[in-house]
Amino acid sequence: MNFKNGSELEALCMETGKSMAQVCIEREVELSGRSEENIREEMKLNYVVMKNAVERAKNETLHSMGGLIGGEAQKLHARMQSGKTVCGTRISKAMAAAMGVMEVNASMGLIVAAPTAGSCGILPGAVLTTAEAYGWDEEQILDALFVAGAIGLIIMRNATVSGAEGGCQAETGSAAAMAAAGIVSVLGGSPRQALDAAAVALKNVMGLVCDPIAGLVESPCQKRNAIGVANALLSAEISLAGIPSIVPFDEVVDAAYRVGKKMPMELRETALGGLAATPTACSLCSRIYN
Amino acid sequence: MAAKNLSVFDAIGPRMVGPSSSHTAGAARIALVGRKIVKGRIKEVQFFLHGSFSKTYKGHGTDRALLGGILGYSTEDPRIVDAYAKAKEEGISYSFIPTDLGDDYHPNTVKMLITNEAGVQVEVIGESIGGGSINIVQLNGLRVEFTGEFYTLIVKQRDVPGVAAHITQCIASEEINVAFMRIYREEKGNVAYTVIEADEEISASAVEKIKEKRDLIKDAFIVSLR
């Protein structure tokens, strides 16, 4: 049981009548020789690290290595307490979680790269917030993560998740695509709907550049994780409403890869262009490194 | 690079101390391989930082991650943050030297000169290629290529007939399936290295069997990250 792309994954689900999560797990069992139980246990370790990171940022004031970020999750929670959020509690909670995990990351705390460290807030932010809202049990949460992982490995195989290769779209776009598919699948969407949600999420940020100030995984990365979490939830909603992606997932992945390759190197994690090249960023950069 | 089927844990993972999979997790893994190549207690290590590593290592904690790897810490070990203090405790001296290794090297590359308490020095060059994945590209001045993802064995040998046959025989007798095997040498008749990447764990008894032929084999050691 193996798949190279989204359409093969969908076909496997249709042939076997199994869920995307189950197909992903069985593929893993086959390729690694590990037991299903062992593989679920490993994913649970990832889930626990994600959950702890979300909690840590809520309760602790964290200080990033470069000093550009810290305390954002707490600020968002304080605003939520006021009951006057612009986005509604669900999205506010999800973005607080995503930005918080990025604070943990930037202060050398423990996170799970998903698919990268620069995009590590999106999957926990979107999936754990949805899980809480719908009262998912642990098995459902792990299923969402396995579906997300399947989407991630397909993108890694056929394109890239590296900002240095494909820009921010490759990192936060992939993370949002992974999260969106995981959520749709556990909420009862068909494999096609899950893939469509991933396609929509990736399309929404196509061409997004990677331009970290001072080359650090802090700004604009953290706020792009907040956008990414919203992107994931919105894309899931669109797909679950029965709105298809006009361009199928595999073609979107291919298009994103081509767009990434066309990006000049200044806009691929080198910190030579975009926001990283602004006067403000340059003065922050000399403050950090001198 | 050795091709492999991607795992779901390549997309969701590694569990790691932040902030960067390439500049922190990858750096720790390169140094961890370096530690495995050195015999005995490490006394000193010099890190020559190339490309992006040389420019942004402080902001990414690349220095602490490298030192953490030398101390034997995995990417998810929170002691990475305190690597400076831990290295002092263990009596390991260290230095970080921004350098330019030339255009042939990946932007995230480190050259490590590691010295053990007997004064033996090993030179290892590794690249962090993204998502925490690494390539070791040079060992004691010799071009090599392995990732540490497979069960990996390095044999230091004399470059004479019969060595490869001896090594494969020992591996086969332990029923270990070889995924990749390459021999690297500088000049004929001198020292050569065999790098074996296997699907199954390479047992200590296989390593001992290989080392038994002292006329052919100088050393053998396991360097996998798994």
Side-chain angles (χ1 to χ4, degrees):
Chain A
M1 186 165 292
N2 203 350
F3 48 84
K4 293 193 293 290
N5 52 37
S7 63
E8 286 185 13
L9 171 57
E10 186 188 353
L12 275 175
C13 293
M14 300 323 275
E15 277 164 30
T16 60
K18 287 173 180 160
S19 70
M20 279 173 106
Q22 195 55 34
V23 167
C24 178
I25 291 168
E26 286 181 21
R27 171 186 181 274
E28 201 70 22
V29 167
E30 240 179 67
L31 293 179
S32 69
R34 297 161 68 181
S35 70
E36 174 166 346
E37 197 189 357
N38 185 269
I39 287 162
R40 280 195 167 271
E41 206 48 48
E42 168 103 40
M43 191 59 95
K44 191 181 161 184
L45 289 177
N46 288 340
Y47 161 54
V48 170
V49 169
M50 289 179 185
K51 199 168 74 172
N52 289 345
V54 171
E55 284 305 309
R56 234 193 111 186
K58 207 192 289 182
N59 302 319
E60 274 178 57
T61 308
L62 296 158
H63 302 282
S64 72
M65 298 287 289
L68 299 178
I69 66 170
E72 290 76 17
Q74 290 190 326
K75 281 184 186 163
L76 286 165
H77 277 288
R79 183 162 170 79
M80 254 186 280
Q81 307 286 311
S82 77
K84 293 181 196 156
T85 66
V86 176
C87 304
T89 315
R90 177 99 43 97
I91 292 224
S92 280
K93 234 184 218 174
M95 64 197 267
M99 291 181 83
V101 173
M102 288 297 284
E103 289 176 55
V104 172
N105 181 57
S107 57
M108 293 194 84
L110 193 58
I111 55 95
V112 183
T116 61
S119 57
C120 69
I122 295 169
L123 189 60
V127 168
L128 301 194
T129 306
T130 307
E132 193 189 308
Y134 283 87
W136 289 356
D137 60 22
E138 189 179 283
E139 194 163 338
Q140 288 172 301
I141 294 172
L142 297 187
D143 279 354
L145 296 181
F146 277 110
V147 171
I151 296 296
L153 73 88
I154 288 171
I155 299 175
M156 288 172 94
R157 187 187 188 284
N158 300 311
T160 177
V161 297
S162 148
E165 261 188 280
C168 191
Q169 57 159 9
E171 298 206 26
T172 62
S174 299
M178 290 161 64
I183 290 167
V184 166
S185 186
V186 174
L187 288 180
S190 67
R192 171 67 61 85
Q193 281 178 304
L195 290 169
D196 275 1
V200 170
L202 202 49
K203 286 193 293 188
N204 283 347
V205 290
M206 193 166 292
L208 187 60
V209 301
C210 178
D211 50 355
I213 293 174
L216 301 178
V217 191
E218 299 191 12
S219 174
C221 320
Q222 186 198 31
K223 293 186 186 102
R224 289 200 184 137
N225 271 252
I227 286 288
V229 99
N231 184 12
L233 297 177
L234 269 47
S235 300
E237 194 81 295
I238 287 172
S239 182
L240 284 168
I243 304 165
S245 172
I246 290 168
V247 179
F249 172 70
D250 290 328
E251 290 181 37
V252 173
V253 171
D254 188 49
Y257 191 39
R258 287 168 195 274
V259 167
K261 281 189 164 177
K262 281 196 160 52
M263 267 182 207
M265 69 89 174
E266 285 84 355
L267 301 177
R268 284 184 280 114
E269 212 181 304
T270 52
L272 296 171
L275 293 172
T278 57
T280 299
C282 293
S283 70
L284 284 168
C285 192
S286 49
R287 198 183 78 198
I288 290 167
Y289 290 112
N290 293 319
Chain B
M1 191 183 24
K4 64 168 197 145
N5 262 307
L6 285 162
S7 156
V8 66
F9 299 113
D10 290 316
I12 304 185
R15 292 181 293 279
M16 55 168 277
V17 168
S20 162
S21 50
S22 56
H23 287 66
T24 320
R29 298 178 93 205
I30 292 170
L32 195 55
V33 172
R35 173 191 165 92
K36 292 182 179 195
I37 293 173
V38 181
K39 286 281 163 69
R41 271 173 55 92
I42 294 171
K43 285 303 287 181
E44 193 196 343
V45 54
Q46 287 174 286
F47 299 102
F48 295 88
L49 305 164
H50 168 80
S52 174
F53 271 11
S54 74
K55 293 186 190 78
T56 65
Y57 73 95
K58 280 186 184 150
H60 281 127
T62 308
D63 46 353
R64 302 192 217 189
L66 286 167
L67 208 46
I70 288 291
L71 288 160
Y73 303 161
S74 70
T75 59
E76 60 183 301
D77 195 321
R79 291 176 295 177
I80 282 178
V81 179
D82 304 315
Y84 278 108
K86 298 281 180 197
K88 278 199 187 98
E89 268 173 41
E90 295 203 14
I92 299 174
S93 64
Y94 51 82
S95 51
F96 298 94
I97 305 142
T99 190
D100 184 0
L101 295 172
D103 293 342
D104 290 352
Y105 293 90
H106 187 277
N108 298 327
T109 298
V110 59
K111 176 170 108 175
M112 302 179 291
L113 280 181
I114 313 169
T115 313
N116 71 7
E117 59 186 349
V120 178
Q121 194 172 69
V122 173
E123 185 196 295
V124 181
I125 300 183
E127 309 171 332
S128 178
I129 58 170
S133 294
I134 64 160
N135 268 333
I136 301 297
V137 295
Q138 211 165 308
L139 175 58
N140 288 335
L142 214 56
R143 282 271 173 188
V144 295
E145 195 170 11
F146 63 91
T147 64
E149 301 266 345
F150 290 88
Y151 292 102
T152 310
L153 171 73
I154 295 181
V155 182
K156 188 179 177 186
Q157 66 205 47
R158 291 183 58 210
D159 183 29
V160 292
V163 181
H166 164 63
I167 295 170
T168 45
Q169 209 167 31
C170 295
I171 294 282
S173 73
E174 298 274 325
E175 307 216 340
I176 296 161
N177 187 36
V178 172
F180 300 94
M181 174 168 165
R182 295 180 214 83
I183 300 174
Y184 303 94
R185 63 173 192 186
E186 211 153 55
E187 49 190 299
K188 198 177 167 190
N190 215 323
V191 174
Y193 289 94
T194 296
V195 176
I196 291 173
E197 297 180 290
D199 298 322
E200 288 94 359
E201 189 165 357
I202 299 169
S203 56
S205 58
V207 178
E208 286 315 308
K209 260 189 204 167
I210 290 169
K211 289 207 286 198
E212 271 169 20
K213 285 232 176 194
R214 288 170 196 280
D215 50 331
L216 300 179
I217 307 296
K218 289 173 173 288
D219 204 355
F221 42 90
I222 289 166
V223 295
S224 354
L225 288 163
R226 44 198 299 179

